[in-house]
Amino acid sequence: MTKKQVSTDDLIAVIFQGIEEVKGENIQLLDLRDIENTVCDYFIICSGNSNTQVKAISSSIQKTVSKQIRDKPWHIEGENNAEWVLMDYVHVVVHVFQKQIRDYYDIESLWGDAKITEIKPA
């Protein structure tokens, strides 16, 4: 049985659904395609209010993506302490932060050349 090829746009839309399902906040999409030597095409960044919510967001993304498009992350980091969970879907990397950790690392500024789109909840 071959896996159906899913577009990056479809993957991004399903990830947004997973984030919104558990009230992830301050969702941003960073388009990295026009920047040289990047590790992926897109970053999705969002925040949770506690380690419990960060874990819930991460879990919701995984469940939603698995259920709707039968995909799973290539790699996940940070689930144990849930201050910053990184989920690598190869072309899309998702960063789920606690608010204060997001403010501290400010990765949006590190990738200042990226086209940044604010995602408003549905």
Side-chain angles (χ1 to χ4, degrees), residues 28-47:
Q28 293 186 324
L29 175 68
L30 280 67
D31 185 343
L32 308 174
R33 292 175 296 176
D34 292 334
I35 301 173
E36 287 186 35
N37 302 319
T38 57
V39 295
C40 63
D41 293 336
Y42 296 95
F43 278 171
I44 295 175
I45 304 170
C46 68
S47 302

Side-chain angles (χ1 to χ4, degrees), residues 37-67:
N37 302 319
T38 57
V39 295
C40 63
D41 293 336
Y42 296 95
F43 278 171
I44 295 175
I45 304 170
C46 68
S47 302
N49 293 310
S50 65
N51 61 344
T52 303
Q53 188 180 19
V54 167
K55 285 180 184 179
I57 294 167
S58 171
S59 177
S60 178
I61 292 167
Q62 290 177 66
K63 288 176 187 170
T64 306
V65 169
S66 177
K67 184 177 179 182

Side-chain angles (χ1 to χ4, degrees), residues 78-117:
E79 281 187 310
N80 290 339
N81 65 4
E83 292 181 344
W84 175 1
V85 177
L86 181 143
M87 306 170 70
D88 186 347
Y89 283 93
V90 183
H91 295 288
V92 179
V93 174
V94 183
H95 299 270
V96 184
F97 286 99
Q98 286 188 37
K99 287 180 180 182
Q100 70 275 13
I101 302 299
R102 182 174 180 175
D103 291 343
Y104 179 79
Y105 286 102
D106 193 20
I107 65 173
E108 295 92 335
S109 291
L110 292 175
W111 293 94
D113 292 344
K115 180 181 176 224
I116 300 176
T117 305

